[in-house]
Amino acid sequence: MGHLATLATCSLNQWALDFEGNKDRVIESVRLAKAAGATLRVGPELEAYLNLNEITGYGCLDHFLEGDTFLHSWEMLAEIVDHGDCQDILLDIGMPVRHRNVRYNCRVLVHNRKILLIRPKLWLANDGNYREMRYFTPWQRPRYVEEYYLEKIVGDITGQHKVPFGDAVISTKDTCLGAETCEELFTPDSPHAHMGLNGVEIFTNSSGSHHELRKLHTRVNLILEATRKAGGIYLYSNQQGCDGDRLYYDGCAMIIINGRVVAQGSQFSLNDVEVITATVDLEDVRSFRCAPSRGLQATHAPSYQRLELDARLSKRAEDLDPSIGPSDEIEVHYHLPEEEIALGPACWLWDYLRRCGGAAGFFLPLSGGIDSCATATIVYSMCRLVVDAVTEGNQQVINDVRRICGEPDSSKWLPTTPQDVSGRIFHTSFMGTTNSSKDTRSRAKALATDIEAYHVDMNMDSVVTSLTNLFTLLTDFRPRFKVHGGSQTENLALQNIQARLRMVIAYLFAQLLPTVRKRRNGGSLLVLGSANVDECLRGYLTKYDCSSADINPIGGISKTDLKSFIAYARTTFDLPILTSFLTATPTAELEPITQSYVQSDEADMGMTYDELSVFGRLRKVSKMGPWGMYEKLLHMWSDRLDPRQIYEKTRRFFWFYSINRHKMTVLTPAYHAEQYSPDDNRYDLRPFLYPGFSWPYKKIEENVMAWEARAGKKVVKAD
C-alpha cells in the first residue's frame, strides 16, 4: 500500500490588520483539515496579519513598518499555538517576524505547541503591484540557520527560549518537507529545485498571488513544472478575496504530485475558509526519482540542515485502510476570461461592501452605454453569488446580506433570487440632458428594471443651465458648442460641466437615497465608477466626472473584454436587454446631436479600442517608448497601414497619453485585472508632466522618410 499521507492546503479570505478575524479563520481551516484526516496544513502568505502574511494579511503595506503589527502577530500566533484544535497536526503559518532589528516575511512551522522553524523568505516580490522590499529584507544566507530568541508570550506556551531561524527543512519519521513562499516559485532558481535534490519530498508554497485575466495558466504551469522534472508533492496555498486594496487574490489552492494535479480549490468564492485535501503515496515520489541523472546531481547538491520532528505524516502499515487509496489525477479547471470578469470583480465588490462600515449598497450613474452596463451587470453577478451562497447555507454571507439590507437582528429573511438582493442594495440613475438620446435613456431604464435596481430617471438641464448662466453673468461671455460655432476650448468646457455635475449629483443621491427609502439605520451608498482601462490609459475621461467614485470594478478591464463579458452575461444571466448595449455605438453624449453629427468615442479618441489595447500592452508589458513602439508596430500592422500611418497613430497615442497622465493621479481605486493598467497608485509609476518626445519623433520621421524614399513616395516631413 505504500506510505499514504493525507495533506491539506487552503485559501483564506484574510483582511489586512483584522488580527482576531484572521486568527479565527486560521483556526477554522485547521479544524477542517483535521476533520479530513490531514496531518499537514499549509496556509497562505502572511495569513496571520493579512494577505502578505497569513496572520496579518498581505495588504498591510506601510503598517508592516509598525511595531504593533509584529506584536499583534505574535499575540495571535500564541492563541493559535495554544488552541486545542491546533494540536496533532503540522502547521505552516505565515507572519512577519523582526529578527535582530531586521524585518522578514516568514513561515512559522508549528507542531504540538512547539515552534520547529521560522523560515524567512529568500526572494521578495518587488515589481508591479508589490513593494515587499519597502517593508522586508530578503534572507540572503541560503541553507544557513541561526537562533531566534522567542517572544515571551509564545515561549511561555511552548517552553522554548530559542528556536531555529533560517533556511532549513523539516525531517519527520517518514519524509522530509521544505517551505518556499510565493515569489520564490516564480524565480529562475527556485528553492524547491535545490531542496528536491537534497531529498525533500513535500514542498509547501504559501502565496499572496492576485488575480489578472488569463494569469492562472502561468501560475499552474509553474506549479506543475516544480515537480514534473524532479518529482515531489507540492502544496500551494493562496489568499482569496479583497483584503482592503485594489487587488483580488484568487485562491485556487492546489495539491500536485510528480507533475499531476490531484486537488484544486475554487478560484473565486464568497467562502472565508476553503480547505482542500488529497491522499498521496510517498513511495510514488521515491520511484519517480530513480533516474541515474537525478541521482548524480543529488550527490553534488548542497545540503540543508534537517530539523527533526518526532512524528510521521503518513499512516503506519498497521493503520492502513484498504478502501482508501491515493487521490486520482484531476483536470485543472480554468475559467473563460468572460467568467473571470463575472466572478472576480463581483467577489471583490462583495468583500468591499460587507467590510465597509455603514455602507447600505451601491449607487451607479447608468448612462445607457456599455461601460456602466458592464458595472451594473457585475453587481448583478455579485447578487447571484450571494444568493447561491445563501442557498448553500453560508452563515457568514447570510449574516452579511441581512445586515447590509437593513434587516433587524431578529430577521429570518433569506433572498431567493438575485433581484431580491439587487432591489435592496443597488441604486442606479440616468442623468440625462438635451444631448442624451432616447435610446440610451430607454436602455438604462430597461436594464435597471430587469435586474430590479432602484432607478432614478432624471433630467439635469436646469443644473447645467444654472452654472453656464452664472458664468455668463460674471464674464459677459456665453460659451457655445463646436457644432454651434464655438471653439474647441468652449466645446470641451461645456462637455466637462455636464460630466462633473453628474459626479456631484451622484454623491448627493448616494448619501440620501437610503434615508429616502426609509432603510433601517439609514446609511449611505458606495458610488461605483465605470471607466475602462483603455479610456484611462488614453485619458478619455473628464477629471472629477463620474469616473471619480469610491471604487471601480471595471477600471482594469479593456473595452474588448467587457464586450465579450456582456455577450456572455446576456445568455448566462438571461438578460436579453444586453443585446442592445452590444450593438450601440459608444458615445459620451455630451455634445448636441444634429442631422449630420452624432458624437462617437472612437472618433473622438482618434483610435479604436482594439488599437488602444495594443498601445497599452506595448507601453507597459513590453516596456516601450515611442521609438520602440513604432518599430514593433511596423511589423504588427504592416498588412494594413504604411509607416507614416503607423507613425501618426503612435504619435497621437503618446500625445494624448502624456497630456492626460495627470488624471491617473486621482483615478478611482479600481479592480486590478490587466497587465497594462495605468494605475498611478503603485502599479504604473510615471511622471504626470511630460516633454514633447521631440527626439524619438525625429528618429521616427527619419525612418518614415527613408521608407517612403525606398517606396518612391513623395517625402513629406511631419509638422
Side-chain angles (χ1 to χ4, degrees):
M1 290 292 292
H3 293 79
L4 297 183
T6 299
L7 310 177
T9 184
C10 66
S11 294
L12 303 183
N13 192 336
Q14 304 293 68
W15 187 12
L17 303 176
D18 181 22
F19 294 98
E20 291 181 292
N22 293 340
K23 173 208 64 178
D24 291 343
R25 286 182 283 272
V26 170
I27 294 172
E28 177 61 19
S29 71
V30 176
R31 288 195 191 101
L32 294 174
K34 289 181 66 177
T39 53
L40 167 64
R41 174 265 182 204
V42 182
E45 190 175 5
L46 295 173
E47 61 184 314
Y49 189 67
L50 179 57
N51 206 314
L52 187 64
N53 284 288
E54 187 176 358
I55 290 176
T56 60
Y58 192 83
C60 295
L61 304 177
D62 278 3
H63 290 290
F64 281 125
L65 305 177
E66 300 169 1
D68 283 6
T69 300
F70 295 84
L71 170 64
H72 299 329
S73 294
W74 283 109
E75 290 168 340
M76 294 303 104
L77 182 67
E79 294 196 28
I80 295 170
V81 169
D82 199 37
H83 199 282
D85 290 337
C86 297
Q87 310 310 312
D88 300 320
I89 185 171
L90 178 57
L91 303 179
D92 181 351
I93 299 172
M95 62 178 279
V97 175
R98 193 164 47 192
H99 175 51
R100 298 182 182 179
N101 297 327
V102 180
R103 297 181 303 274
Y104 295 100
N105 176 357
C106 294
R107 307 303 304 171
V108 181
L109 284 91
V110 179
H111 185 265
N112 286 353
R113 295 187 174 90
K114 295 292 182 182
I115 292 180
L116 308 177
L117 169 67
I118 301 176
R119 195 271 189 184
K121 192 172 181 180
L122 308 183
W123 305 106
L124 302 181
N126 209 55
D127 61 350
N129 285 296
Y130 302 105
R131 296 287 181 275
E132 285 193 49
M133 291 187 71
R134 180 181 175 95
Y135 321 116
F136 301 109
T137 299
W139 182 251
Q140 293 290 280
R141 307 174 80 176
R143 296 172 296 282
Y144 178 80
V145 179
E146 57 194 28
E147 292 179 326
Y148 177 85
Y149 289 84
L150 197 58
E151 271 71 3
K152 185 176 186 299
I153 189 174
V154 177
D156 287 346
I157 296 170
T158 67
Q160 298 167 291
H161 177 53
K162 296 181 290 186
V163 297
F165 184 100
D167 185 20
V169 297
I170 304 296
S171 182
T172 67
K173 286 185 173 181
D174 55 350
T175 188
C176 184
L177 66 94
E180 66 180 6
T181 307
C182 198
E183 176 73 9
E184 294 171 351
L185 171 66
F186 292 80
T187 60
D189 189 21
S190 297
H192 67 256
H194 300 285
M195 288 190 289
L197 289 173
N198 204 241
V200 172
E201 296 176 335
I202 300 174
F203 310 100
T204 68
N205 186 302
S206 306
S207 190
S209 184
H210 67 276
H211 172 242
E212 274 181 4
L213 293 175
R214 306 171 180 88
K215 175 185 173 183
L216 184 60
H217 292 77
T218 301
R219 188 193 303 160
V220 170
N221 287 339
L222 286 169
I223 297 172
L224 294 177
E225 189 63 25
T227 62
R228 186 173 280 147
K229 287 194 298 184
I233 300 160
Y234 204 95
L235 287 85
Y236 176 82
S237 174
N238 191 23
Q239 166 90 356
Q240 187 171 63
C242 165
D243 69 354
D245 203 348
R246 293 159 171 80
L247 305 181
Y248 178 82
Y249 298 89
D250 59 338
C252 203
M254 305 185 81
I255 300 177
I256 298 95
I257 178 168
N258 299 337
R260 298 179 293 108
V261 178
V262 293
Q264 177 186 8
S266 67
Q267 189 176 7
F268 308 103
S269 172
L270 299 190
N271 295 324
D272 281 349
V273 178
E274 180 180 84
V275 175
I276 64 169
T277 61
T279 299
V280 296
D281 190 345
L282 300 177
E283 287 298 324
D284 287 344
V285 177
R286 293 155 191 167
S287 61
F288 188 90
R289 289 177 169 177
C290 68
S293 58
R294 187 261 170 197
L296 287 171
Q297 290 188 349
T299 60
H300 295 284
S303 295
Y304 283 79
Q305 181 175 335
R306 294 197 174 202
L307 305 175
E308 302 292 332
L309 172 61
D310 187 20
R312 58 187 303 120
L313 299 185
S314 64
K315 292 184 179 297
R316 296 176 303 176
E318 56 268 30
D319 295 329
L320 288 175
D321 183 347
S323 66
I324 300 176
S327 299
D328 294 330
E329 182 178 4
I330 64 172
E331 184 177 349
V332 178
H333 175 70
Y334 297 100
H335 288 286
L336 297 171
E338 296 86 351
E339 293 175 317
E340 293 184 80
I341 295 171
L343 297 171
C347 292
W348 182 76
L349 284 178
W350 178 247
D351 278 345
Y352 203 100
L353 178 62
R354 70 190 180 109
R355 288 170 169 171
C356 188
F362 296 120
F363 181 89
L364 172 68
L366 189 57
S367 69
I370 200 164
D371 291 329
S372 61
C373 163
T375 297
T377 306
I378 288 171
V379 174
Y380 184 68
S381 177
M382 180 200 79
C383 296
R384 286 167 51 92
L385 293 175
V386 168
V387 171
D388 288 345
V390 168
T391 302
E392 294 167 1
N394 186 318
Q395 193 59 49
Q396 183 64 59
V397 174
I398 291 172
N399 295 341
D400 287 335
V401 73
R402 285 174 177 165
R403 174 179 51 81
I404 293 167
C405 290
E407 290 289 309
D409 294 340
S410 59
S411 173
K412 301 298 182 183
W413 172 76
L414 293 175
T416 57
T417 68
Q419 285 82 353
D420 287 346
V421 181
S422 179
R424 302 280 288 271
I425 70 170
F426 192 31
H427 306 70
T428 60
S429 177
F430 182 84
M431 304 179 188
T433 68
T434 56
N435 301 319
S436 304
S437 68
K438 293 180 180 179
D439 290 341
T440 52
R441 185 184 296 270
S442 63
R443 282 199 301 271
K445 185 175 182 180
L447 177 58
T449 300
D450 284 357
I451 64 177
E452 295 188 16
Y454 183 91
H455 187 65
V456 178
D457 192 336
M458 73 172 77
N459 288 315
M460 49 178 278
D461 288 310
S462 59
V463 184
V464 177
T465 302
S466 295
L467 279 177
T468 53
N469 285 345
L470 174 64
F471 179 81
T472 299
L473 177 66
L474 296 175
T475 64
D476 196 28
F477 179 85
R478 182 168 293 279
R480 294 176 297 169
F481 284 104
K482 193 172 182 179
V483 296
H484 296 155
S487 65
Q488 180 66 16
T489 299
E490 295 170 67
N491 199 58
L492 286 175
L494 290 174
Q495 292 183 70
N496 289 341
I497 194 61
Q498 298 170 70
R500 290 185 173 121
L501 282 172
R502 285 178 176 139
M503 185 269 288
V504 175
I505 293 171
Y507 274 95
L508 173 65
F509 275 73
Q511 281 191 290
L512 295 179
L513 276 182
T515 301
V516 170
R517 299 186 68 189
K518 296 181 172 53
R519 179 186 182 272
R520 194 176 71 91
N521 298 329
S524 60
L525 306 173
L526 294 168
V527 179
L528 298 180
S530 52
N532 64 63
V533 70
D534 298 321
E535 291 170 348
C536 295
L537 175 67
R538 194 267 189 200
Y540 186 64
L541 50 87
T542 300
K543 202 172 187 179
Y544 305 119
D545 68 349
C546 281
S547 64
S548 295
D550 293 315
I551 50 176
N552 179 1
I554 70 166
I557 306 174
S558 71
K559 176 77 86 172
T560 302
D561 281 336
L562 287 175
K563 292 176 72 173
S564 297
F565 160 64
I566 293 300
Y568 160 85
R570 174 183 54 192
T571 302
T572 306
F573 297 172
D574 191 22
L575 292 173
I577 182 60
L578 298 182
T579 299
S580 62
F581 288 87
L582 284 169
T583 56
T585 300
T587 173
E589 290 196 334
L590 295 172
E591 295 182 78
I593 299 173
T594 68
Q595 290 184 342
S596 60
Y597 178 75
V598 176
Q599 190 174 18
S600 163
D601 288 354
E602 291 188 335
D604 280 355
M605 293 190 299
M607 59 195 75
T608 67
Y609 282 106
D610 287 343
E611 288 172 343
L612 263 176
S613 291
V614 173
F615 286 132
R617 293 185 186 282
L618 293 180
R619 180 197 69 97
K620 176 65 177 177
V621 182
S622 299
K623 303 172 180 62
M624 292 180 176
W627 169 254
M629 192 178 294
Y630 163 76
E631 280 193 310
K632 189 74 170 181
L633 291 174
L634 279 177
H635 301 285
M636 294 176 62
W637 290 349
S638 61
D639 59 331
R640 63 185 185 89
L641 298 174
D642 63 36
R644 182 163 296 279
Q645 290 171 318
I646 292 172
Y647 165 45
E648 290 169 351
K649 282 185 176 289
T650 304
R651 184 165 183 163
R652 184 181 299 117
F653 166 75
F654 274 101
W655 162 256
F656 285 110
Y657 162 76
S658 60
I659 65 170
N660 288 311
R661 180 65 194 185
H662 64 96
K663 297 177 182 178
M664 298 304 97
T665 64
V666 295
L667 197 65
T668 295
Y671 181 94
H672 178 87
E674 186 56 76
Q675 282 187 307
Y676 67 89
S677 168
D679 170 36
D680 189 68
N681 173 255
R682 73 171 185 265
Y683 182 71
D684 187 42
L685 305 182
R686 314 271 174 150
F688 54 87
L689 180 62
Y690 275 93
F693 296 111
S694 58
W695 178 248
Y697 293 156
K698 288 178 182 177
K699 283 178 64 67
I700 298 174
E701 286 172 7
E702 290 174 359
N703 185 269
V704 169
M705 288 188 288
W707 276 102
E708 290 176 339
R710 285 196 294 269
K713 292 185 178 181
K714 182 178 180 181
V715 177
V716 180
K717 191 170 184 179
D719 293 333

